[in-house]
Amino acid sequence: MNRVILARGLLLPLASMTPELEKIHALFLAEAEEQLATLEQGLLALERTSGPQPLASLLCTLHTFKGGAGSVGLTAAVELAHLLEDLLTLLEARAVVLHAGLGSLMLQAVDVLREQVGLEPASESAQRLPAQEVRRLLESTLKASQPAQTRAAAPERPASPAEPSAHREHTLRVGLGRLDRMLDLTGEIAIARGRLAEMLGQAHRYTPQQLLEAHRDGDRLYLDLQELVMKVRMVPIGRTFQPFVRTVRDLGLAMGKQVRCELSGEDVEVDTTIAELIRDPLTHLVRNAMDHGMETPEVRQARGKEPTGTLSLRAVHDAGTLLIQVVDDGAGLDRERIAARARALGMLGAEETPDDGALLRLILAPGFSTAERITELSGRGVGMDVVKRNVEALRGTVSVDSTPGQGTTFSLRLPLTLSIIEGFNVAVGAETYVIPLQNVLECVELPSAESRPGRTGVFSLRGSALPYLRLREHFGLGGSTPARENLVVIGHERGLAGLAVDTLLGQGQTVIKPLGRFCQGLPGLSGSTLLGDGRVALILDVPALLHQVLQAAPPAAVA
């Protein structure tokens, strides 16, 4: 009885579902997404190394998916999965031979299954076949491979994809051990809070040192819980990398290029939000590498290379950050074309000769492109500045290295989490600001000779000119400048600059809160946080401030 109700209910729009059916559907989607991703990876692996074990694993995964889809009434998905299962069985029996066209058809079938259960397909929309066409091709392939078998033709019926959920809940699988430890810590914190409250209620019986020690005990437990919660949010970056194996394969077939996709560092863990948001920049980099970087087999052979190129996605923890690299062994960047294009756009003077790093960074500037034609693949009227902007929105940086004829490497350096940073607190008047500690290089006292009105200035730091920005003037705080000002030297790939402040308050962990609607988009601010006394402190956007400082500084100071 329940099964009938479930089937009927899930054929209705999601808005018509009861809360219980929505929970069941969400659980099915989470499992189906994982099963179809496993199926896709298995099919890609099957193309590289055929053997009985991968096929057995694929059949098992497909059978599990089919059971789940059937239990929630997705008949069209069950029937298509059954056809795919039959085809895999023929492959296992060596009745058919796996070739690129058959591999593409099976991957297209996985895309259709994704659509039918309400998930986003992995391939580009322009490369996808309609569901009925995929079904027809599967049936004809099976029929051609089984001439003696009288297979009852399944009635043709339109696919009934599940309605995509606009607000599908994101879920994470958490080990039971971690959840148990979180529960234990929560209980220990409750005990510590009760003990501290009791001691404060009878404060006359305790010394300040005893009260402080009780507070520190609770604080240690809280920090343990905070660290554990952050670890729970960490997921392997491999889940983000895996879909690009399919992307590289499909694009290579479409463009007549032979490219091998290699992944490394798949076990490196990163905050689940970063893993999600880094997908678009990586997609843009992979498409550009396939379109502009990788050569055709003929061109590679003419240049003395192997006909099959390599595109690598790598991840590694480096100095408390996540380093992701997209590396190709293609043609490399043409410096002369970049310089010529930059001069045509007025980004470089006729006689200006920037160093190699500055020249390559020009390709990340808005509106910059050396492509002779816009392609559907990577042109799209969107430049590499989108990658840079999206990565900087995650408080990350992008750098480019390229060797002519040998390839290009894009390095994305990102924080491990977006929710907590190590910050350096400074004060200007009654206001407190937080500077991300990773951008703070040193602090010096501003000489009295620099104590004059003005938003910007240039300070001689050990003989080198350092442009600086006075935060009091920049944010229009008013009030008088104190007799003694401090300069926080900040650094970013754009260069070095100083921020003149009244007081240095020291470093500490900062929980980032988004800016309110009225403060969003204000230059120089990236977020806010609550201080221990309940006041709000603003978190400074170092790249944006550096840009303003360096723009206002005289050329001699920047050089």
Side-chain angles (χ1 to χ4, degrees), residues 136-201:
R136 187 188 66 77
L137 290 172
L138 280 175
E139 287 176 337
S140 61
T141 304
L142 287 168
K143 188 176 180 181
S145 307
Q146 297 175 302
Q149 187 173 338
T150 55
R151 180 186 176 84
E156 192 71 27
R157 69 177 68 184
S160 56
E163 182 173 312
S165 172
H167 303 288
R168 191 163 67 84
E169 186 179 2
H170 291 272
T171 58
L172 275 176
R173 291 191 175 185
V174 181
L176 192 58
R178 283 186 175 178
L179 283 178
D180 287 344
R181 181 57 186 150
M182 288 169 68
L183 190 61
D184 289 344
L185 281 172
T186 306
E188 291 176 31
I189 289 173
I191 294 170
R193 284 184 61 203
R195 175 171 171 254
L196 182 59
E198 185 177 334
M199 291 175 71
L200 289 172

Side-chain angles (χ1 to χ4, degrees), residues 296-319:
T296 60
E298 297 77 16
V299 173
R300 290 181 64 87
Q301 285 180 314
R303 293 176 177 172
K305 296 180 174 179
E306 290 183 6
T308 301
T310 302
L311 193 154
S312 304
L313 277 83
R314 305 169 181 165
V316 65
H317 283 159
D318 183 41

Side-chain angles (χ1 to χ4, degrees), residues 12 60 99 112 148 150 192 207 230 247 249 273 278 358 374 411 426 542:
L12 295 173
C60 181
H99 51 80
V112 173
T150 55
T207 65
M230 288 178 63
T247 301
R249 174 208 181 268
T273 303
I278 199 63
I374 293 176
S411 299
V426 297
V542 168

Side-chain angles (χ1 to χ4, degrees), residues 14 19-34 118-119 163-173 272 276:
L14 289 180
E20 290 75 17
L21 286 177
E22 285 185 14
K23 289 178 183 175
I24 294 172
H25 189 259
L27 181 61
F28 163 72
L29 276 184
E31 292 180 347
E33 186 173 28
E34 190 170 320
L119 295 169
E163 182 173 312
S165 172
H167 303 288
R168 191 163 67 84
E169 186 179 2
H170 291 272
T171 58
L172 275 176
R173 291 191 175 185
T272 182
E276 188 71 26

Side-chain angles (χ1 to χ4, degrees), residues 72-94:
V72 295
L74 295 174
T75 311
V78 172
E79 291 177 355
L80 188 65
H82 191 71
L83 291 175
L84 191 54
E85 200 175 31
D86 285 350
L87 190 54
L88 288 174
T89 304
L90 289 178
L91 276 172
E92 191 177 38
R94 300 182 184 277

